[in-house]
Amino acid sequence: RRDKVKETHVLRNSIKVTRFPNGCVAAGGYHTAIISQSGILYTFGCGTFGQLGLGQNPHLHERGGKATFDRLHPTKITGFGSEYRAVQVSCGIQHTMVVGEDGKLWSFG
């Protein structure tokens, strides 16, 4: 029935995530983290508690002009891929943990 058709969202840019078999994609309570082939970390979703790793700069949404820490599309996390290569990621309800190629551990949220 037409009245039961669900709305579908498509990401603007696809990210290839097949390089690291363990931990290349992780989902938390309301956010997701992705590691690209080159070790770049991307996050998106709810960022109210800092779990996206984007710092404390709110983003102005296109609709409504409301400032928020949320991101609707994968956003590159500064430093990963250039200075550091991420190899594993895990998300909890309000945090994200990332392991670098050198064994260092980062935590957001």
Side-chain angles (χ1 to χ4, degrees):
R1 295 178 50 197
R2 287 185 170 206
D3 59 336
K4 294 197 178 199
V5 174
K6 294 182 181 179
E7 184 178 352
T8 302
H9 298 279
V10 179
L11 294 177
R12 291 180 188 168
N13 299 312
S14 62
I15 300 169
K16 193 168 184 180
V17 292
T18 56
R19 165 95 175 161
F20 302 109
N22 294 326
C24 62
V25 176
Y30 296 97
H31 71 291
T32 302
I34 301 169
I35 299 174
S36 72
Q37 280 187 330
S38 56
I40 298 171
L41 177 66
Y42 295 87
T43 61
F44 62 102
C46 177
T48 305
F49 301 97
Q51 63 268 47
L52 299 182
L54 300 171
Q56 296 301 314
N57 300 318
H59 173 72
L60 199 62
H61 268 293
E62 295 173 8
R63 295 184 203 165
K66 182 180 176 186
T68 177
F69 293 100
D70 302 344
R71 295 297 187 276
L72 299 177
H73 305 283
T75 303
K76 181 181 174 187
I77 306 305
T78 305
F80 287 96
S82 55
E83 296 177 50
Y84 308 105
R85 286 178 54 96
V87 294
Q88 283 190 308
V89 63
S90 178
C91 296
I93 293 174
Q94 298 173 347
H95 70 278
T96 302
M97 305 288 283
V98 182
V99 177
E101 187 174 51
D102 59 0
K104 289 184 180 179
L105 177 68
W106 287 272
S107 175
F108 317 123

